[in-house]
Amino acid sequence: MSTASPVADGGDEDPAAPPGRRFEPDLRSMTRINLRPIASPMPLGFFTIAIASVMTGCLQLGIFDEAARAAVAFTVLPAFVLQLLVSMLAFGARDVIAATLMAVFAGSWLPYSLIMLSGAADGLRVLGVFNLALLCFGALMTAVTRPKRALWLVLAVSLPRWATTGLSGLTGAEWLTRTSGALGLVVALVAMYTAFALMLEDMRSEQVLPIGRSGPAHLAVEGDLAVQLRNLERQAGVRRTL
């Protein structure tokens, strides 16, 4: 997280300036950019995806009866709050890709929970269209998350689940619902591994389990401080406009 503030707030009068106008000195040499390290929120985000995916997957597979829809919705609802928190922390850590992904995941749990709890008319068809919209979002995100192989892998296994969930909601096909439930368990496994690997890495300050970072994502972890601060003055929160 970074903030920029001038350490001097005054200026001297310029004799050559027109009367009534004040000369402001160049403040760039007197500006400090402060960075505040935070604990990585990503393990929490991925563990949340894993747990919520297990609950919804079990419902789709028929492990829970239809009467358990409300109970499943109550267990999934906290995922909205947790992943929204992860997204806010990721924005503060200047990781727009992780923040955007976690925010959208958070937004996906809330309507699911509310529709399951309320039993809204035609709710499954509405969720079907919603999941197809998530599919489009995920397809676009996979194009920019490849250097972050952990995020990319979770997205890659989420895409077919969103597709089957969307189609099952629109068509009501039982086999698509079961397939979506099985894919939900696959998403949970991948997210659980990713969360555990990131947590070990953060605790030991080195990669323990393979995550597959490349390019800028690899340099962000393995590079020196100069790499971390490159172009910092042009990043959001420091520059004047987004």
Side-chain angles (χ1 to χ4, degrees):
M1 186 177 295
S2 63
T3 57
S5 58
V7 297
D9 55 6
D12 299 324
E13 296 290 344
D14 182 5
R21 295 190 63 183
R22 186 177 179 81
F23 171 71
E24 294 292 343
D26 187 351
L27 298 179
R28 286 177 294 183
S29 62
M30 295 181 284
T31 299
R32 301 291 182 267
I33 298 175
N34 302 311
L35 302 177
R36 187 176 68 186
I38 63 172
S40 173
M42 298 310 292
L44 173 61
F46 285 120
F47 275 129
T48 303
I49 291 174
I51 295 171
S53 296
V54 167
M55 301 308 297
T56 57
C58 287
L59 180 63
Q60 290 174 310
L61 286 171
I63 297 175
F64 301 137
D65 294 332
E66 287 296 311
R69 282 190 175 189
V72 171
F74 274 120
T75 61
V76 171
L77 187 57
F80 162 72
V81 179
L82 292 175
Q83 291 205 266
L84 187 60
L85 172 63
V86 171
S87 174
M88 294 171 62
L89 291 173
F91 275 120
R94 301 179 294 133
D95 193 332
V96 66
I97 294 177
T100 301
L101 182 65
M102 289 297 163
V104 172
F105 267 111
S108 70
W109 301 124
L110 182 60
Y112 173 87
S113 298
L114 295 180
I115 289 176
M116 291 293 104
L117 284 172
S118 65
D122 218 15
L124 291 180
R125 288 180 60 83
V126 172
L127 285 177
V129 175
F130 181 69
N131 276 276
L132 292 179
L134 285 176
L135 175 65
C136 296
F137 158 79
L140 293 174
M141 285 292 290
T142 54
V144 296
T145 57
R146 196 170 188 85
K148 292 176 169 288
R149 197 60 57 86
L151 291 177
W152 181 87
L153 188 57
V154 172
L155 270 174
V157 295
S158 296
L159 291 179
R161 197 205 180 187
W162 285 330
T164 53
T165 302
L167 292 175
S168 68
L170 292 176
T171 64
E174 186 69 18
W175 71 271
L176 283 173
T177 302
R178 302 299 189 202
T179 302
S180 177
L183 289 171
L185 299 184
V186 175
V187 172
L189 288 173
V190 174
M192 193 77 70
Y193 169 83
T194 303
F196 185 62
L198 289 174
M199 183 174 289
L200 283 178
E201 181 182 77
D202 200 55
M203 291 173 58
R204 301 186 184 182
S205 299
E206 62 179 1
Q207 181 173 290
V208 180
L209 297 174
I211 298 177
R213 290 189 183 93
S214 63
H218 177 75
L219 289 176
V221 175
E222 301 296 336
D224 56 19
L225 185 60
V227 174
Q228 309 303 310
L229 302 181
R230 187 178 299 163
N231 295 324
L232 181 62
E233 69 276 10
R234 297 183 180 86
Q235 295 186 11
V238 179
R239 64 177 188 256
R240 180 184 295 250
T241 177
L242 295 177

